[in-house]
Each structure stands twice: as structure tokens, then as C-alpha cells.
Amino acid sequence: MQNIVTRTRVKDIKRTQTFKPAIDPMHMIEACLWLFFLFGVLLKCSYFQFSTKLNSKPYFSMYNKSMFLSTFSLIMILASILLLFFNRKRLTALLITDILLSLLILADTLYFRYYSNAITVPVLYQIGLVSSITDSVKDLFRVNDLIFLADFPLFLAGLHLIKKKAAKKQLVGIPPVKRLISSFIVILISLGLFHSAYAQTSPSTFSYDNNYVINDLGILYFHYYDIKRNIEERYFTDRTLKEEEKNAIDNYFNSKTPSGTKYRGVAEGKNLIIIQMEAIQQFVINRKFNGKEITPNLNKFINESCYLDNFYYQVGAGNTSDAEFLTNNSLYPLKDGAVYFKFPTNTYESLPKLLKKKGYTSYAFHAYTPSFWNRTEMYKAVGFDKFINSDDFIMDEHLGWGLGDESFLMQSLDKIDTSEPFYGFFITLSSHHPYNYFEDYEGFDVGPYEDTMTGNYVKAANYVDKAVGRFLDELKARGLYDNSIIVIYGDHHAVLKDQTDMLKDLIGFEFSEYNWTKLQKTPCFIRYPGMTETGVNNTICGEIDLLPTIANLMGIDAPYALGKDIFNTEKGYAVLRNSSVITEEFTYVASEDKVYGNDGQLLDKSLYESEIARYQHELEISDIILNKNALSVYLKD
């Protein structure tokens, strides 16, 4: 009997010794880390989508369903891949992946606030520009952006606990077969979810605007889409101009309405002076702030020139460089990246080249690093004879990024040989975002808006106006004013989409996609010698229209310009790089895929689809010309 009791106790002791908790604490901690990753990345992606206003509230509406499904399924696929290929190091790989994704989406968020686009592979070619826009990056950062760092402490704490509990052993590995089966099942389910999301979208619209892709399927899918697209373009795309593409170009130019003859050659043989003003938008013209005119010199110039008050900028991710490209080539910029980086060896029929045939010497002036935006190489392709850059100026007025605009314009004028016909292209710099360089500028009293972005921008615009006004006076003093075509315009936006609050006090702006689209105008002035029809011109136009307009005034043919002659067009319109279309009858807002009347009321889109497609066809033709270097074929002939 005693032996039986003893054996029973021994068995009980053994059972006690071999008993394990139902759930291992290490497994619980690891499970939490995977959940932190899944829902942390989902939260960060969602923050990007809604903080950039690509998607709108209510968060869980049917409108946002495909974006959430796509994003969640892709995170699950990524987690499965990590589990499959990393065994004992899986949590380290998980942390590194979380950090990299967080930094990527944060970079997307900051980049989008300035460029209204996510980072693309072509943009990475421009990575050298980052150091030059440090102040803008700081200004773009918001306190809420700390959400991208929120899960790092939890991750590190979890890894510390696991390391502490596993001090005498490594993290338990998972058998290969079990990992393979688990990953396969999760990936299969995730692909099903993604297919469900994809089926709710319209992929045909993705070619028009990257933001369509992000809006429908999320930022993670966009990066996959962008990488895949660039690999195809770089390694699997035939750059040879196909017969059907050449036919499309031929048909476009053959069917284009011939320009009229109004003002033909009125400025033949005259000099050409173009000033591209950094970030000066149309709403500062003829506006008073704190009782004073913001731009008194430009306001005065309206009466001495043709002032285009419906002039839209049409830049893409290349911003200032895109504006230069539009003006000098009458082609649209790229949807992704900058032409200046992707196609600096293409053949172009540019203003400098057209004028060179007439005996002109062309100068490009910019008081900044010559390699910025790859200008050194691109200006060779465009045909500028001389590029005067930061290396050529005396730094006697430091403001913002470098030499102040007033000194820049005065010094530039001294570098031109005015004894022969010339084309001078001047790119100002001082009024570059974020405008905090003007906090100490005393030339304009902004009252209670001192040390605010609104006040600093008003000061910046006033300073540029002062610099341009002095330049115009100097042209008169040197006898060049009445012997030159003078074109002055702003290159791109001044206000970022998430900073429109500053416009409430300045112009009473209330945000809507329609109002935002209609706001994307910059001032544009055109003056030629002997001009009599001065004042405001309401024609809807854009930067792409400057070359053909100038060419007509100078009696020059520009057969491969996509733009229209502003003074001879029968109908004004502007096509933006994001595929939006502005006409005299309607405005198509690409970000919403909606059509509005001039009163801001919604119209039936189906009534305008064919007309919208006809305008957007210009973008397709321009893309073919750039991607296939098509003008090398035409100009060779």
C-alpha cells in the first residue's frame, strides 16, 4: 500500500515538473509585436491618406473601402514574407522593416505637402536636392507626424523582454514546413482581399495621375506599382518611335487649328527678356494688405502690358524646372520626376534654338548652384549659349537661398552683350518656400501677421515686386525697354495644400477641390514695343502657351509647339499636369473626377467626357515626344 502511494506521489511530482503554461509569455510578446507591426503600419498609411486629403472622412465609408482593404492585405503579405524568409531573426527583420516603412511614409507625407505627389523612383534621381530644401522640410513637419515614431518604443520594449526571457537560449525557430504553409495560407487570403479591392477601382485612370492610384489602393500599393512601372520602362520598354505613335503625333499637329496672324512679326528682331518669378501667385496682384499694395510695380506694369489674369501654371514634380521647360519648349512636363533629370539628352525645338537661327545669343541666369535640377546638362539640350550661375555673381545681397533677387537682376543685366539681339531668361530665387527669410524684412509692414507664414509670404512678394520694378526702370534707363519683348510670370504655387488656412485672412479662401484648382494661377505679363492694347486679358492659358505666342510676335514658326498662341486662339483653356482641365465653360477636377460650371456647381460629366479627353490628349502626345525622343526624328527630317 505504501509503495502504491509512493508511486502515485512520484507521478504527481513528475506531472508538476513537466507542466507548462497554456501560452508561453515569449509567444504572447511576439504575437503583440506582430500586431504592433500590422496595425501600426496600417495606421501610418491611413494617416498619410487622410492628412494629405487624398481620402476624406468618414473614414470607413465605401469610398475608402478599397484603400483600406488593399493596404491591409499588402501589410499581411509583407509580414508573411518576413516570416517565411527570416526564422530566428524574424523579430529583428520585423523591426527593421517597420522602421524603413515608417521613414518612407513620413518622407511621402512631407514630399506630398510640397509637391502634391508621393515619392517616385524618378524622384530618387533628384535626391541631391534634399540638402538644399532643408528649411522647407522643417516647415512641412507637423507635431502629428510623430505618429510615425509612436510604435518604436513598444517594439524596443517587446524585444528587450524577449531577450531577457531568452537570455540562455535563442528565439525558438519555426519548422520550415510550418512557416511555408502558414505564409502560403496568409498570402492566399491576402491576395483574395486585394483582388476584391482592385475590382472596385478603375485602373484605366491610373495613367492620368499617380494620386488616382494612391487614392484607390493606398500608398503601399503605389510604391509597388511605381517600382514595377519603372522597371518595365527602364528595361523592357522599346524607346523606338513606333509607326502608330508617329501617326498620332502627325495627326495631332495636322489637325491643330492654325494660328491667326494677329500681331504677326510686330516684335521681329527685338530682344526677348523673360523673368520667371519664384512662387508668385496671381492672388497678390492688385491686392492690398494692411492698407498697402503688395505689388505696386507689377500693378503699374498692367497698364503698360497685356496682363493675363487666367494664366495657370502646369508644372509636375519638377516644379521650377518644369516651368522653365514649359516656357522654353512648349511641351508638358512628366507625370513622374523631372524632365531635367530623365531626358537631358533629348532633342528639343526650343526658344533658344529657334532664336539662334535668327542670330540671337541666349542667356540663362540663375544665382544658384549650376548642378541644381541638372541645369548644366539640360541647358545644353535646350540650346542656351551661356548659363550664368552662382559661380558668376558677387554675393553682395544675401537673402534666402543665396543672392537676393534685386542684386541678381542688376548683375545679370551687366553680363549681356546688348550690342546684338539677345534672349535673356532670368529665374528669381528669393521668394522660395517657406519664406522665413523675410522675418526681418522691413520693406513691408504686415501688422499682426508679423512672424507668420502669411506675413512672410506677403513680404516676399513685395520684395520680388521691388526687385522687378527696379529692373524695369533699369531697362528704360539703358534703352532696352522699348526694344524688347518683356515677359514676366510666376512659376508655380506659393501655398501648399495643407496650408490654405493662411489664405483665409489674405483672400477669404475656403478650401474645396474646385476652389483649389481654380486658385492655381500665377500672374503673367507680356509687353512688346509699340504695344497699344494693354491691360487685363481674360484668356484662359498656361505656361505651355508662351513659346508659340512669343514666336508669333517675333515672326518665327514653331511647328512642334503643343501650346497655342494666346493672342490668336479662338478658345481659351488650360490642361494641368494632373489631368485637370479648365475652360471657359467648365472645369474638370481630376482629383475628384468631377466637372463643375463657372459658378462652382456640379455638372453632368458625361456631357463633357469627349471634350475633356480631347484636351487631355495633349498630355499623351507630349509623353510620347519625351519618352521616345520623337523630335529627333522630325527635326532630322
Side-chain angles (χ1 to χ4, degrees):
M1 181 68 179
Q2 186 176 359
N3 290 336
I4 294 173
V5 172
T6 301
R7 286 196 297 272
T8 302
R9 287 176 178 173
V10 170
K11 289 179 180 179
D12 290 341
I13 292 170
K14 287 182 177 179
R15 288 193 190 100
T16 303
Q17 290 175 339
T18 58
F19 173 78
K20 294 182 179 180
I23 300 178
D24 190 326
M26 285 180 60
H27 291 165
M28 289 183 63
I29 296 171
E30 181 177 354
C32 287
L33 291 179
W34 285 96
L35 289 174
F36 287 157
F37 175 78
L38 293 173
F39 291 100
V41 175
L42 179 62
L43 179 62
K44 294 169 187 177
C45 290
S46 301
Y47 175 79
F48 168 83
Q49 300 287 150
F50 290 98
S51 68
T52 57
K53 299 181 181 179
L54 280 170
N55 294 75
S56 55
K57 299 177 184 179
Y59 296 117
F60 302 109
S61 64
M62 290 299 294
Y63 179 73
N64 297 320
K65 180 182 176 183
S66 62
M67 181 274 291
F68 278 121
L69 271 179
S70 168
T71 302
F72 183 74
S73 63
L74 291 174
I75 298 172
M76 291 289 288
I77 290 172
L78 184 56
S80 300
I81 292 172
L82 292 175
L83 183 64
L84 181 62
F85 289 101
F86 298 91
N87 195 4
R88 295 182 186 276
K89 299 290 185 181
R90 59 186 179 273
L91 292 185
T92 302
L94 190 69
L95 174 60
I96 293 172
T97 303
D98 184 69
I99 292 173
L100 293 177
L101 285 176
S102 299
L103 292 176
L104 173 62
I105 304 168
L106 171 59
D108 281 325
T109 304
L110 299 179
Y111 187 84
F112 193 96
R113 284 175 185 155
Y114 193 82
Y115 291 102
S116 296
N117 278 292
I119 292 174
T120 61
V121 172
V123 166
L124 297 179
Y125 301 147
Q126 303 158 210
I127 198 68
L129 307 186
V130 173
S131 61
S132 298
I133 57 172
T134 303
D135 289 333
S136 286
V137 171
K138 290 177 182 176
D139 183 73
L140 295 171
F141 193 85
R142 308 282 182 269
V143 174
N144 290 342
D145 295 342
L146 292 173
I147 192 173
F148 291 106
L149 311 176
D151 58 347
F152 292 171
L154 297 174
F155 253 108
L156 294 173
L159 288 174
H160 176 72
L161 286 174
I162 287 178
K163 184 178 181 180
K164 187 176 179 181
K165 288 184 174 296
K168 296 182 180 180
K169 59 180 180 179
Q170 287 185 317
L171 184 66
V172 177
I174 302 172
V177 175
K178 188 174 181 180
R179 295 202 324 270
L180 181 62
I181 293 173
S182 300
S183 298
F184 178 76
I185 291 173
V186 173
I187 289 174
L188 199 63
I189 293 172
S190 299
L191 287 174
L193 290 174
F194 178 79
H195 178 74
S196 172
Y198 192 85
Q200 300 174 43
T201 67
S202 301
S204 60
T205 64
F206 291 176
S207 61
Y208 294 131
D209 189 352
N210 288 336
N211 290 339
Y212 286 169
V213 184
I214 305 172
N215 176 272
D216 287 350
L217 295 172
I219 186 63
L220 289 186
Y221 175 77
F222 168 73
H223 283 301
Y224 158 77
Y225 171 87
D226 178 56
I227 292 170
K228 174 175 174 289
R229 175 179 58 189
N230 277 275
I231 290 174
E232 291 174 349
E233 289 179 355
R234 190 175 182 87
Y235 300 105
F236 302 103
T237 300
D238 182 7
R239 295 293 180 186
T240 305
L241 184 66
K242 295 181 175 62
E243 189 65 29
E244 58 268 26
E245 293 171 329
K246 188 173 187 303
N247 289 338
I249 296 173
D250 290 339
N251 291 336
Y252 172 79
F253 285 115
N254 290 336
S255 62
K256 192 173 182 182
T257 304
S259 227
T261 58
K262 187 178 181 182
Y263 305 134
R264 176 72 177 180
V266 294
E268 187 172 357
K270 302 299 183 182
N271 305 312
L272 173 61
I273 295 171
I274 299 181
I275 301 176
Q276 178 173 293
M277 301 181 294
E278 172 67 34
I280 300 299
Q281 280 197 247
Q282 187 260 358
F283 55 74
V284 297
I285 303 300
N286 273 333
R287 186 172 298 280
K288 290 185 177 182
F289 192 83
N290 203 26
K292 292 174 60 180
E293 287 182 292
I294 300 173
T295 57
N297 292 294
L298 291 175
N299 297 347
K300 178 183 175 183
F301 193 53
I302 292 175
N303 298 321
E304 301 175 28
S305 66
C306 169
Y307 171 55
L308 300 163
D309 70 344
N310 279 309
F311 182 85
Y312 287 82
Y313 70 82
Q314 298 163 298
V315 305
N319 258 23
T320 295
S321 69
D322 281 353
E324 300 174 26
F325 180 75
L326 280 152
T327 298
N328 284 289
N329 298 279
S330 196
L331 293 171
Y332 288 96
L334 296 171
K335 182 174 63 176
D336 305 307
V339 179
Y340 275 35
F341 279 99
K342 290 191 72 174
F343 300 115
T345 59
N346 273 15
T347 298
Y348 299 102
E349 186 179 61
S350 62
L351 260 178
K353 288 183 177 180
L354 291 171
L355 290 171
K356 194 175 188 67
K357 296 175 183 177
K358 298 290 186 178
Y360 282 67
T361 301
S362 57
Y363 304 77
F365 297 94
H366 190 46
Y368 200 60
T369 307
S371 60
F372 199 74
W373 283 124
N374 199 32
R375 286 188 174 98
T376 302
E377 297 304 314
M378 189 63 186
Y379 283 171
K380 295 175 185 176
V382 173
F384 280 107
D385 294 307
K386 298 181 181 181
F387 175 26
I388 314 300
N389 54 71
S390 58
D391 297 335
D392 306 302
F393 291 96
I394 299 172
M395 188 62 65
D396 57 0
E397 181 195 13
H398 193 280
L399 184 59
W401 282 30
L403 183 64
D405 289 345
E406 189 170 1
S407 177
F408 158 69
L409 290 171
M410 291 299 102
Q411 289 190 52
S412 297
L413 202 52
D414 290 334
K415 299 180 185 299
I416 298 175
D417 180 0
T418 59
S419 66
E420 60 182 13
F422 67 86
Y423 165 31
F425 184 60
F426 304 80
I427 307 158
T428 71
L429 181 64
S430 298
S431 52
H432 196 286
H433 184 275
Y435 321 118
N436 51 16
Y437 318 114
F438 289 89
E439 289 177 350
D440 299 325
Y441 175 69
E442 298 179 353
F444 195 94
D445 180 14
V446 294
Y449 294 94
E450 192 69 40
D451 297 330
T452 66
M453 178 170 282
T454 302
N456 289 340
Y457 178 68
V458 168
K459 288 181 177 182
N462 177 259
Y463 169 79
V464 174
D465 176 80
K466 177 185 174 184
V468 172
R470 183 182 172 191
F471 181 78
L472 292 175
D473 288 341
E474 188 65 20
L475 290 179
K476 293 175 182 177
R478 299 191 186 194
L480 296 173
Y481 188 79
D482 288 322
N483 195 39
S484 306
I485 296 178
I486 301 171
V487 179
I488 305 173
Y489 67 95
D491 59 356
H492 56 70
H493 64 272
V495 182
L496 309 184
K497 203 169 187 179
D498 72 334
Q499 294 177 334
T500 53
D501 285 347
M502 68 174 275
L503 294 178
K504 289 181 180 179
D505 294 326
L506 187 58
I507 61 174
F509 179 81
E510 293 293 334
F511 182 84
S512 71
E513 290 295 339
Y514 169 77
N515 288 341
W516 176 254
T517 301
K518 297 290 283 187
L519 184 71
Q520 305 316 304
K521 294 188 282 190
T522 67
C524 181
F525 307 81
I526 301 176
R527 183 189 188 279
Y528 58 84
M531 191 172 197
T532 56
E533 295 184 41
T534 60
V536 178
N537 183 318
N538 304 126
T539 303
I540 298 173
C541 53
E543 291 159 329
I544 201 167
D545 302 319
L546 288 177
L547 187 154
T549 303
I550 293 168
N552 180 64
L553 294 174
M554 302 184 81
I556 299 171
D557 293 325
Y560 300 114
L562 285 183
K564 59 187 175 294
D565 177 356
I566 297 169
F567 296 139
N568 281 283
T569 187
E570 294 180 359
K571 187 174 183 180
Y573 69 91
V575 181
L576 309 188
R577 182 57 262 196
N578 70 352
S579 301
S580 292
V581 177
I582 299 99
T583 74
E584 296 167 355
E585 292 81 30
F586 67 87
T587 295
Y588 169 68
V589 179
S591 60
E592 294 182 315
D593 194 26
K594 293 178 181 178
V595 177
Y596 295 86
N598 289 331
D599 57 358
Q601 297 300 308
L602 274 174
L603 301 176
D604 183 353
K605 181 192 167 191
S606 64
L607 300 176
Y608 301 92
E609 285 180 335
S610 60
E611 189 173 356
I612 292 169
R614 179 166 55 83
Y615 288 125
Q616 291 175 336
H617 184 55
E618 290 185 5
L619 297 174
E620 298 169 5
I621 295 299
S622 183
D623 286 343
I624 294 173
I625 290 173
L626 288 174
N627 286 299
K628 297 304 180 72
N629 193 16
L631 291 186
S632 64
V633 175
Y634 286 86
L635 297 178
K636 181 178 65 176
D637 294 342

